[in-house]
């Protein structure tokens, strides 16, 4: 009798557990809540960036606006700087971006708050832009309309730069190694390569350094596909569009993949990306130490047809996330990448809590 009632009790308790599990899955979908919170977080990507619409009336930025404006300034100036390094630039490229840059500079120069270096660098890149395009005017063929348009644009830009410079002295300081190894300070994104091949043994050596990066519970959930073929590079650059015009000339592009099966809780879903990103940093530092140059290629795309084509042709299983890619090669002889600016750490470090800037 007691054995029967014990059995009934066990079946009942087991049934209750299964029932609760079913309810939990049906009612409190943990992925749903996690995505809801993420959507709420990312709603802030829609921050009102009035400085990017030069036709809108500009008002005094709030303190919260200033960081976002600095991110946008860095991004836009980076695009101009990168454009200047590419051989096939368009006539007067980046004009719309530069108009926004000028608007941001006018705002930021009034609220420098440790942003002097970023401002000085932006002005310097615009000065180089004027210099390079003036040189193009002398060396390249233009139609009379293009020529006169370019001349008046450069004159307008020079006037703007002069008026900005009249608002205060801007001096770029070179990075200091701060007592640490130079490897942190001297690695640069390299976008011009020599034809010297990169041996498999070297790639193996840098991957051996990559796997010594930290990974969550030491899972190391990544795979790296080394792509050397023209066809493979083309497929990849259809997705990694920020590498077009430069990465096709690199001898190798490594595609960074991460196995999402390593992480199954919704709250852990970013860890697969973090693990690979950390490994990629070791990879690029090791490559730098061996005299190679690398540049990260952003593989974020909304063109899923192209992403699927890449996945199919490279036989990438569906449980692998495409994290990004790195173009690798020896830098072109005599090529010296100029260090871009870094944000002032006083705008990054907080003590104990947000709002405790000191
Ligand atoms: C996630 C990520 C994506 C990037 N994507 C690209 C890219 O698509 N094309 C490119 O030329 N550089 C890309 N970069 C390189 C950055 O532009 C570069 O790291 C930054 O401008 C700082 O320059 P530095 O690496 O020389 O210090 C990327 C870097 C990261 C971390």
């Amino acid at each position: 009798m007691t054995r029967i009632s014990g059995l009934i009790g066990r079946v009942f308790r087991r049934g209750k557990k299964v029932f609760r599990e079913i309810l939990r899955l049906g009612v409190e979908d943990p992925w749903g809540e996690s995505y809801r919170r993420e959507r709420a977080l990312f709603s802030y990507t829609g921050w009102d960036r009035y400085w990017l619409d030069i036709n809108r009336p500009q008002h005094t930025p709030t303190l919260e606006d200033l960081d976002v404006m600095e991110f946008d300034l860095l991004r836009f100036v980076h695009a101009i700087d990168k454009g200047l390094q590419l051989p096939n630039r368009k006539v007067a490229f980046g004009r719309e971006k530069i108009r926004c840059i000028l608007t941001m500079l006018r705002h930021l120069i009034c609220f420098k708050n440790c942003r002097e270096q970023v401002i000085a660098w932006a002005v310097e890149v615009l000065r180089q832009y004027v210099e390079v395009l003036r040189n193009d005017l002398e060396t390249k063929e233009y139609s009379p309309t293009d020529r006169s348009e370019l001349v008046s644009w450069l004159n307008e830009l020079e006037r703007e730069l002069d008026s900005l410079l009249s608002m205060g002295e801007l001096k770029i300081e070179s990075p200091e190694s701060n007592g640490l190894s130079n490897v942190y300070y001297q690695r640069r994104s390299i976008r011009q390569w020599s034809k010297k091949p990169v041996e498999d043994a070297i790639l193996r050596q840098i991957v051996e350094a990559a796997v010594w990066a930290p990974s969550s519970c030491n899972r190391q959930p990544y795979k790296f596909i080394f792509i050397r073929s023209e066809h493979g590079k083309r497929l990849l650059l259809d997705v990694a569009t920020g590498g077009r015009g430069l990465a096709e000339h690199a001898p190798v592009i490594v595609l960074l993949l991460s196995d999402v099966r390593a992480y199954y809780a919704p709250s852990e879903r970013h860890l697969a990306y973090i693990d690979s990103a950390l490994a990629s940093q070791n990879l690029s530092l090791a490559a730098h130490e061996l005299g190679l140059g690398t540049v990260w290629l952003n593989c974020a795309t909304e063109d899923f047809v192209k992403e699927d084509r890449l996945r199919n042709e490279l036989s990438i299983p569906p449980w692998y996330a495409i994290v990004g890619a790195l173009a690798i090669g020896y830098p072109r002889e005599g090529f010296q990448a100029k260090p871009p600016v870094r944000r002032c750490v006083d705008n990054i470090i907080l003590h104990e809590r947000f709002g405790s800037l000191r």
Side-chain angles (χ1 to χ4, degrees):
M1 190 62 191
T2 32
R3 266 179 50 204
I4 292 176
S5 65
L7 189 68
I8 293 173
R10 271 214 306 280
V11 169
F12 180 72
R13 278 196 298 278
R14 185 65 184 253
K16 216 165 85 179
K17 203 169 153 203
V18 170
F19 184 65
R20 215 183 297 131
E21 244 348 83
I22 293 171
L23 264 188
R24 197 177 72 81
L25 282 180
V27 180
E28 329 156 2
D29 169 11
W31 286 89
E33 175 58 10
S34 199
Y35 284 131
R36 197 192 60 72
R37 282 169 183 249
E38 187 147 309
R39 212 173 303 131
L41 173 67
F42 281 95
S43 68
Y44 291 100
T45 56
W47 195 266
D48 181 17
R49 294 162 140 94
Y50 48 88
W51 51 87
L52 297 188
D53 184 351
I54 52 171
N55 298 318
R56 274 180 63 185
Q58 300 292 311
H59 54 78
T60 312
T62 63
L63 277 180
E64 280 77 23
D65 285 342
L66 291 176
D67 272 348
V68 189
M69 206 184 286
E70 191 181 20
F71 303 145
D72 285 344
L73 181 69
L74 285 163
R75 180 166 62 97
F76 276 35
V77 179
H78 163 75
I80 301 299
D81 193 30
K82 187 171 151 186
L84 288 174
Q85 294 171 39
L86 297 181
N88 303 323
R89 46 181 178 268
K90 293 194 190 115
V91 189
F93 74 96
R95 224 181 313 191
E96 294 311 310
K97 278 203 172 66
I98 291 178
R99 292 219 160 93
C100 295
I101 291 173
L102 292 169
T103 308
M104 290 187 261
L105 282 173
R106 271 183 235 114
H107 281 303
L108 287 170
I109 219 156
C110 307
F111 293 89
K112 283 189 196 146
N113 310 62
C114 304
R115 295 176 217 272
E116 289 85 349
Q117 283 302 293
V118 171
I119 296 171
W121 175 71
V123 171
E124 179 54 29
V125 170
L126 294 186
R127 277 230 216 97
Q128 278 166 20
Y129 175 93
V130 173
E131 201 180 302
V132 170
L133 267 66
R134 284 227 184 274
N135 190 47
D136 281 357
L137 271 174
E138 306 207 339
T139 53
K140 290 189 176 169
E141 300 268 314
Y142 291 112
S143 72
T145 339
D146 279 353
R147 180 170 287 276
S148 81
E149 225 178 276
L150 183 54
V151 169
S152 64
W153 161 235
L154 292 178
N155 289 342
E156 176 193 332
L157 184 52
E158 254 176 344
R159 275 196 305 277
E160 289 284 353
L161 289 176
D162 286 345
S163 95
L164 278 171
L165 287 171
S166 68
M167 296 173 83
E169 199 203 348
L170 299 168
K171 191 168 158 285
I172 300 185
E173 288 154 21
S174 11
E176 275 181 39
S177 72
N178 197 16
L180 298 175
S181 153
N182 279 335
V183 76
Y184 306 107
Y185 301 90
Q186 290 182 350
R187 178 217 55 83
R188 288 277 70 76
S189 290
I190 297 298
R191 299 185 177 88
Q192 297 184 26
W193 291 275
S194 82
K195 296 222 175 332
K196 185 175 166 187
V198 182
E199 309 290 334
D200 281 347
I202 295 265
L203 294 177
R204 192 183 168 83
Q205 198 178 354
I206 59 177
V207 173
E208 276 165 0
V211 297
W212 282 94
S215 68
S216 176
C217 296
N218 203 15
R219 272 175 268 210
Q220 306 160 58
Y222 23 73
K223 299 257 191 234
F224 303 144
I225 307 186
F226 289 99
I227 301 172
R228 295 177 183 273
S229 70
E230 297 303 315
H231 179 63
K233 286 183 198 165
R234 212 170 310 123
L235 286 171
L236 174 57
L237 293 175
D238 272 350
V239 172
T241 50
R244 280 197 201 146
L246 51 114
E248 47 278 76
H249 308 298
V252 191
I253 306 182
V254 50
L255 181 61
L256 311 169
L257 304 172
S258 210
D259 191 333
V260 299
R261 293 173 305 169
Y263 298 99
Y264 42 83
S267 58
E268 291 186 326
R269 67 186 179 282
H270 306 105
L271 297 181
Y273 291 89
I274 293 172
D275 290 346
S276 300
L278 291 171
S280 84
Q281 175 66 355
N282 266 21
L283 204 137
S284 52
L285 291 179
H288 170 72
E289 211 177 323
L290 291 169
L292 288 157
T294 59
V295 62
W296 236 91
L297 306 175
N298 167 10
C299 289
T301 183
E302 275 155 31
D303 192 333
F304 299 113
V305 173
K306 289 188 174 150
E307 185 182 312
D308 288 347
R309 196 181 308 144
L310 176 72
R311 282 182 172 278
N312 289 338
E313 296 224 14
L314 271 52
S315 310
I316 301 171
W319 48 88
Y320 274 92
I322 295 180
V323 176
L326 275 173
I328 307 179
Y330 290 96
R332 180 171 63 72
E333 286 80 27
F335 175 73
Q336 193 68 48
K338 268 202 269 163
V341 75
R342 285 304 190 256
R343 296 179 68 207
C344 173
V345 296
D346 292 332
N347 276 340
I348 295 173
I349 299 170
L350 296 158
H351 293 279
E352 308 294 348
R353 56 188 292 275
F354 230 89
S356 65
L357 280 172
R358 45 175 201 214

